Amino acid sequence: MFKAILTRLLGERAIGKAEYFLKPSLKDSWGGPMNGQTFRRRIYADLVRSLPLQAIVETGTYRGTTTALFEESGLPVYTVEASPRYHAYSQLRLRGVRGHVHVYLGDSRSFLKDLARDPSVPRADVLFYLDAHWEEDLPLREEVDLIFNNWERSVVLVDDFEVPGTDYEFDDYGPGKALTLDYLRPLERLGLSAYFPAASPGQETGAKRGCVVLCNDTAVAVALDEIETLRLYEDEPAAGAANG
């Protein structure tokens, strides 16, 4: 009750700014970048090493913990957060690297549409990290659709996704709202190939959240096939086969 009253009095942006200065421990939310998962960070590092990336796009900035990891790549980073509170926090956190890290406030679907129209944003060889899903709002399917209809030779890494046959945690908000391959079935026309972590949950650290890597380009799929931290999922019709 007190927090709700304080938020109404000060506003969400003011709360976010206060948290940045008064609660330094929040910089390591969820145990650090990518939920504190070391194997997930290995997957990310392998993607950066193996693909000729021109930019990184993130949906769901939260407190900028993973965004700060992306900044270290030296690539242009575009990130969006729907919450004014967390957006204000991230703006302060990333203010020293704002030259190549662009922090937006808004809905992830509108954000991707705007990026697709922006001539300064690369339209090929982009890594997308999707983490904007939360409870009632589940934009993932629309995000994936927008990405593969507007960017070429790109790859999508989705957080909180079910890894079939494992005990990795994933987001499940009820019928039709679980982050699974079945959820992506309506996008079969995109010809997506799905790759999952090659490590079991027992070999992972941190929150042990599942993830999936998606692509629909032959050249990208060839590169992903060579990454030892990933395994191709071949038995799911919704995933389809890569195309050129």
Side-chain angles (χ1 to χ4, degrees):
M1 177 67 72
F2 175 75
K3 288 184 178 179
I5 295 173
L6 189 62
T7 299
R8 285 199 299 269
L9 289 174
L10 299 180
E12 287 198 23
R13 292 192 61 82
I15 295 294
K17 292 177 180 179
E19 286 179 332
Y20 175 80
F21 290 109
L22 300 178
K23 297 183 178 180
S25 62
L26 293 178
K27 287 186 177 181
D28 289 325
S29 298
W30 284 89
M34 298 186 175
N35 315 313
Q37 297 181 212
T38 55
F39 196 84
R40 172 84 65 83
R41 293 200 293 271
R42 283 181 57 193
I43 291 173
Y44 161 71
D46 284 343
L47 292 173
V48 172
R49 173 183 55 80
S50 302
L51 300 172
L53 297 176
Q54 297 188 52
I56 297 174
V57 174
E58 177 188 34
T59 65
T61 315
Y62 194 45
R63 291 193 171 99
T65 306
T66 299
T67 319
L69 174 66
F70 294 151
E71 183 274 327
E72 295 174 4
S73 71
L75 294 167
V77 178
Y78 305 86
T79 184
V80 65
E81 173 55 49
S83 164
R85 173 180 176 178
Y86 299 133
H87 175 259
Y89 183 100
S90 296
Q91 277 194 313
L92 285 173
R93 177 177 189 160
L94 300 166
R95 65 191 185 282
V97 293
R98 292 283 294 281
H100 66 279
V101 177
H102 311 274
V103 185
Y104 297 80
L105 172 66
D107 178 83
S108 63
R109 289 150 291 202
S110 298
F111 163 73
L112 290 171
K113 291 175 184 177
D114 289 342
L115 288 189
R117 292 190 291 261
D118 188 338
S120 69
V121 177
R123 294 290 297 279
D125 302 307
V126 176
L127 169 62
F128 293 84
Y129 189 76
L130 306 184
D131 193 19
H133 32 270
W134 183 251
E135 296 184 344
E136 293 302 316
D137 188 25
L138 192 57
L140 178 61
R141 191 183 292 145
E142 294 169 82
E143 290 175 333
V144 172
D145 199 15
L146 282 165
I147 289 165
F148 287 109
N149 277 298
N150 287 283
W151 279 270
E152 298 179 349
R153 300 187 310 277
S154 292
V155 64
V156 168
L157 173 55
V158 184
D159 190 17
D160 305 309
F161 203 90
E162 181 189 37
V163 180
T166 76
D167 294 327
Y168 276 106
E169 298 289 335
F170 65 98
D171 282 358
D172 184 351
Y173 303 117
K177 292 187 175 183
L179 300 193
T180 67
L181 287 173
D182 279 343
Y183 171 82
L184 295 179
R185 192 176 297 276
L187 301 181
E188 185 176 4
R189 57 186 164 72
L190 295 176
L192 300 177
S193 291
Y195 293 78
F196 290 102
S200 69
Q203 296 170 293
E204 182 59 284
T205 61
K208 300 181 187 293
R209 306 289 293 177
C211 71
V212 66
V213 174
L214 304 171
C215 76
N216 73 341
D217 180 272
T218 299
V220 175
V222 169
L224 297 185
D225 287 340
E226 297 299 315
I227 294 179
E228 294 184 354
T229 51
L230 292 173
R231 60 177 179 84
L232 174 65
Y233 190 78
E234 300 179 284
D235 300 323
E236 173 56 51
N243 59 58

